Amino acid sequence: MVRPTELRFETSGLEYAAISWGEVRQPVVLALHGWLDNALSFARLGPALTGYRVVAVDLSGHGFSSHRSLDSNYHIWNDVPQLVDIVDELTDQEIIVIGHSRGASVATLLAAALGERCSNLVLIDGLLPAYGDDRNGAHQLARYVRERRKYLARKDRFFASVEEFAQRRAQYGFSIDSAQQLAPRALEAVGGRWRLLSDPRLFGGSAVYLNEQQRHQIYKELTVPVLSIFGERGFFTRDGVAQKMLEDAGACIPNFTSTIIDGSHHLHMEEEVVGHVAQRIKQFLSTGQ
């Protein structure tokens, strides 16, 4: 893999770690990883997007970035103000935003916040979540409080080896290869063992969810071309709720294109697939379709 450049950003009392590929003078692509992943999620896709400066950020609570304060949360909108600050520091030109899974939800909100400063939006096996519509709001809030207490009290998690970490991550739909790609920014060596760096609070549910009307309003405000790439064996090809999310996006986003590529939920990390993903993204960036 191509060795990236390490970056650091400080905003709102938080430090965000990032890695980048490409030249400073090239158009900026801001890449946002999925739940419990980190910037190395783009270790194969980043250098394949030749002609662009790809900046992959460790979102707060992930990788080498700061954990949020104890009175804060990890809702999908919490990183948006800091990401806008990072965009300001990177360039005064338009940027391209790419997001995977949970990062696709964050990327959608970021694109809406940036407005005309975002030229293109690419969503990889992810959209705004739609699974909260039928949940009782009070019950969800009570669940959030219970889980917040639970995960605040959780002790550091250790693994005997990187291989054990990779085996555990396989339970969340990862291949062993994909999990091992993330390990250098997911683990810290401590006393002969490997400590998990991600904030345990990320395992907890949200206090509230965007409802259908809010999702539709956000989608309709996206004036930029949007490309959704789904893995044939990803989440969006086998789940009815996720299919509804795709239908909502297609009906509401003014300039929306979707495509399916053979691969898993983490298709952008798969060596045999990433070239196809990169090719499709570059085609989209050059044509808008």
Side-chain angles (χ1 to χ4, degrees):
M1 296 184 189
V2 178
R3 189 175 184 84
T5 300
E6 292 280 347
L7 302 173
R8 290 289 188 276
F9 304 93
E10 291 188 9
T11 170
S12 302
L14 297 169
E15 183 175 273
Y16 281 78
I19 50 180
S20 70
W21 300 266
E23 302 297 328
V24 172
R25 68 179 183 276
Q26 294 174 321
V28 174
V29 175
L30 187 67
L32 308 178
H33 62 79
W35 178 64
L36 297 183
D37 296 351
N38 57 56
L40 285 173
S41 171
F42 296 96
R44 287 189 169 129
L45 180 60
L49 294 176
T50 53
Y52 298 90
R53 184 191 185 197
V54 180
V55 179
V57 178
D58 289 335
L59 294 171
S60 60
H62 298 79
F64 295 156
S65 289
S66 298
H67 292 193
R68 291 190 166 267
S69 63
L70 297 183
D71 60 340
S72 187
N73 300 297
Y74 288 102
H75 295 134
I76 57 173
W77 49 81
N78 283 123
D79 281 297
V80 171
Q82 291 80 48
L83 291 172
V84 172
D85 290 342
I86 290 172
V87 170
D88 288 342
E89 188 169 341
L90 285 169
T91 182
D92 60 359
Q93 304 297 312
E94 291 181 340
I95 71 156
I96 299 152
V97 181
I98 294 178
H100 168 249
S101 193
R102 178 182 181 270
S105 298
V106 179
T108 302
L109 299 179
L110 176 61
L114 288 172
E116 293 181 353
R117 294 189 63 197
C118 176
S119 63
N120 298 86
L121 176 62
V122 178
L123 309 175
I124 302 175
D125 225 56
L127 289 161
L128 290 178
Y131 43 75
D133 286 349
D134 296 328
R135 295 184 182 181
N136 181 290
H139 291 171
Q140 181 59 31
L141 183 60
R143 175 192 171 196
Y144 158 75
V145 172
R146 289 195 306 271
E147 292 184 348
R148 181 178 183 277
R149 288 178 173 176
K150 172 184 175 181
Y151 292 115
L152 276 173
R154 174 174 283 186
K155 296 181 180 179
D156 286 344
R157 189 171 186 181
F158 289 88
F159 299 94
S161 64
V162 173
E163 289 73 23
E164 182 188 0
F165 163 77
Q167 292 288 346
R168 294 290 182 89
R169 289 308 302 268
Q171 299 175 7
Y172 297 102
F174 273 80
S175 67
I176 298 299
D177 175 66
S178 294
Q180 289 175 333
Q181 287 180 57
L182 298 174
R185 298 179 83 86
L187 303 172
E188 176 186 42
V190 178
R193 297 188 296 169
W194 297 91
R195 184 175 73 87
L196 189 65
L197 293 174
S198 57
D199 192 327
R201 287 179 291 165
L202 289 162
F203 284 91
S206 297
V208 294
Y209 289 96
L210 295 174
N211 61 34
E212 184 176 66
Q213 181 179 6
Q214 290 170 320
R215 293 194 310 275
H216 288 187
Q217 288 174 340
I218 292 168
Y219 281 148
K220 289 175 181 178
E221 289 298 317
L222 294 175
T223 58
V224 303
V226 179
L227 170 66
S228 285
I229 299 176
F230 304 101
E232 189 170 358
R233 291 171 280 108
F235 293 162
F236 284 79
T237 54
R238 63 174 186 263
D239 186 286
V241 174
Q243 183 62 33
K244 180 183 183 301
M245 292 162 61
L246 174 58
E247 292 171 358
D248 284 353
C252 295
I253 298 174
N255 189 347
F256 182 75
T257 302
S258 66
T259 189
I260 296 176
I261 294 177
D262 183 27
S264 72
H265 178 57
H266 295 89
L267 70 163
H268 65 304
M269 300 180 68
E270 298 172 357
E271 186 173 15
E272 65 276 16
V273 178
V274 67
H276 299 294
V277 177
Q279 182 180 17
R280 183 64 184 91
I281 291 174
K282 291 202 289 187
Q283 176 189 352
F284 167 71
L285 296 179
S286 64
T287 66
Q289 297 181 346

